[in-house]
DNA sequence: GTGAAATTGGAGGTCATCTCCACTTGTCAA
DNA sequence: TTGACAAGTGGAGATGACCTCCAATTTCAC
């Protein structure tokens, strides 16, 4: 955990303590999926800080969400890199897409929160999204280079599918449908022989 | 255009006029994509009615959105049925999916509004969604029956893909990616020979 | 230890949402 | 046509969430 805020300036000890407390509580509430149901003021109380402090560290709800989201994305990207290093590119891509579904399934609340954020579309997620996007793009590019998948469809198409899976997670039969979509996409990606 | 409200009770002439005025203005603003940026009170002014009247007819923003959305969905479903009647099932499905992308492309504002609504997930869209879902399910079932596509993936998977396309419409390269995803899904749907 | 600078936290201003009800308009039977 | 009652209207104002501001407090370099 870094000793500085998002701007790079070193924070005073008490400031850092408070910032971390807020982040920890936010992550907790993210997981519960109630992040958007809570009054922002009450949230400050829950984290044990005053509203002023909360607003100083995170000027908007979205800014806070983004801070939490960044850690998640970092973890996912890390996993993508690992796969990339240990498997043939085609399998790495397959494995990663399956992993994403499982990940979203496990952290349903998080998925709900993220879906809301994306749709509200304040662009707060731009940076985190770009990182994840890059990871998927790399996997796809590598698979194309190996000839494991067709080369006439962009990685963006796969990302849109993932976006849909994340956004639709409240469907009753979500897991089956998500797995099914990944199956379709992977089948569709096979190079025409 | 019906002469009654959503509950089925016949409305008085002035009530119907107001309701229609609100709906017409709502549709307009839907298209602009600013539906969620507007104060609900101001919206009443724009439609030429008092706030009380607005709230009487549509208790929430979502209720209003749903009323507009229903018409759109009805149009889309009608188109699906037409295709279903004039083309072989496999082609009807292909055509419909391509059509949906074009439709969303044309009505970007509408897409943005719908994406927000879905993510906010008040369930207000449940009924309209179900109708659209049924249309796609029918197309898929018919194609399976004809042996035009594989039978081991549910229509839900296709819907999730569509959901993603609708939700991701703000991506810079959206149109290409959406077309690409449809291509992948269609290719993935081909029966393993 | 001391002073300067950074940080805190909650009281209160601001503004969108929604309710309420005195008044207006439409409907229908005679 | 007219009267009387039901249905509908609309905007003033209550409500409550969001965010700002600044006096008091804490940290840290010297």
């Amino acid at each position: 955990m870094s000793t500085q805020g998002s701007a790079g300036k070193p924070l005073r000890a008490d400031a850092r303590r408070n910032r971390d407390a807020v982040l920890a509580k936010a992550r907790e509430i993210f997981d519960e999926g109630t992040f958007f149901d809570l009054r922002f003021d009450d949230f400050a109380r829950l984290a044990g800080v005053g509203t002023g402090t909360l607003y100083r560290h995170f000027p908007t709800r979205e800014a806070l969400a983004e801070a939490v989201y960044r850690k998640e994305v970092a973890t996912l990207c890390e996993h993508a890199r690992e796969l990339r290093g240990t498997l043939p590119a085609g399998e790495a891509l397959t494995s990663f897409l399956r992993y994403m579904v499982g990940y979203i399934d496990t952290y349903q609340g998080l998925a709900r929160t993220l879906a809301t954020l994306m749709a509200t579309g304040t662009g707060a997620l731009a940076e985190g999204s770009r990182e994840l996007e890059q990871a998927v793009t790399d996997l796809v590019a590598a698979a194309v280079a190996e000839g494991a998948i067709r080369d006439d469809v962009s990685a963006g198409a796969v990302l849109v599918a993932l976006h849909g899976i994340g956004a639709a997670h409240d469907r009753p039969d979500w897991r089956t449908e998500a797995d099914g979509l990944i199956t379709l996409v992977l089948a569709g990606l096979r190079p025409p022989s």
Side-chain angles (χ1 to χ4, degrees), chain A:
Chain A
M1 200 161 284
S2 136
T3 63
Q4 48 190 57
S6 49
K9 284 182 186 175
L11 290 178
R12 225 171 64 174
D14 54 346
R16 188 164 98 71
R17 222 173 353 205
N18 277 333
R19 191 172 196 279
D20 287 349
V22 169
L23 268 179
K25 185 54 92 174
R27 172 58 212 256
E28 199 177 299
I29 296 190
F30 239 71
D31 283 354
E32 284 170 22
T34 55
F35 187 75
F36 287 96
D37 306 336
L38 214 65
R39 286 181 44 192
F40 209 39
D41 280 19
D42 285 351
F43 179 77
R45 267 207 128 61
L46 281 178
V49 302
T51 55
T53 304
L54 174 57
Y55 278 96
R56 165 185 321 280
H57 287 300
F58 306 100
T60 66
R61 216 192 202 84
E62 284 73 25
L64 173 54
E66 210 245 337
V68 177
Y69 173 65
R70 268 246 264 275
K71 290 192 186 178
E72 295 307 313
V73 166
T75 308
L76 284 170
C77 291
E78 183 50 40
H79 186 70
R81 252 173 269 121
E82 265 179 49
L83 289 173
R84 180 78 195 75
T86 56
L87 290 176
E91 286 172 43
L93 178 61
T94 301
S95 182
F96 183 71
L97 294 183
R98 296 286 180 202
Y99 176 78
M100 278 284 294
V101 174
Y103 186 90
I104 297 174
D105 199 11
T106 305
Y107 299 101
Q108 300 233 0
L110 184 108
R112 174 159 127 61
T113 309
L114 285 180
T116 307
L117 262 184
M118 296 225 138
T120 315
T122 47
L125 298 174
E127 182 162 352
S129 288
R130 239 177 292 127
E131 199 182 338
L132 184 56
E133 178 154 359
Q134 191 59 53
V136 172
T137 304
D138 288 349
L139 283 172
V140 169
V144 167
E146 275 190 15
I149 63 172
R150 63 198 284 178
D151 63 359
D152 64 339
V153 169
S154 80
V158 176
L159 280 160
V160 170
L162 281 177
H163 196 139
I165 287 174
H169 82 107
D170 52 348
R171 292 176 60 84
D173 212 11
W174 178 87
R175 182 64 199 251
T176 306
E177 293 172 351
D179 285 332
L181 177 54
I182 294 298
T183 300
L184 288 183
V185 167
L186 288 173
L189 277 172
R190 269 201 290 272
S193 51

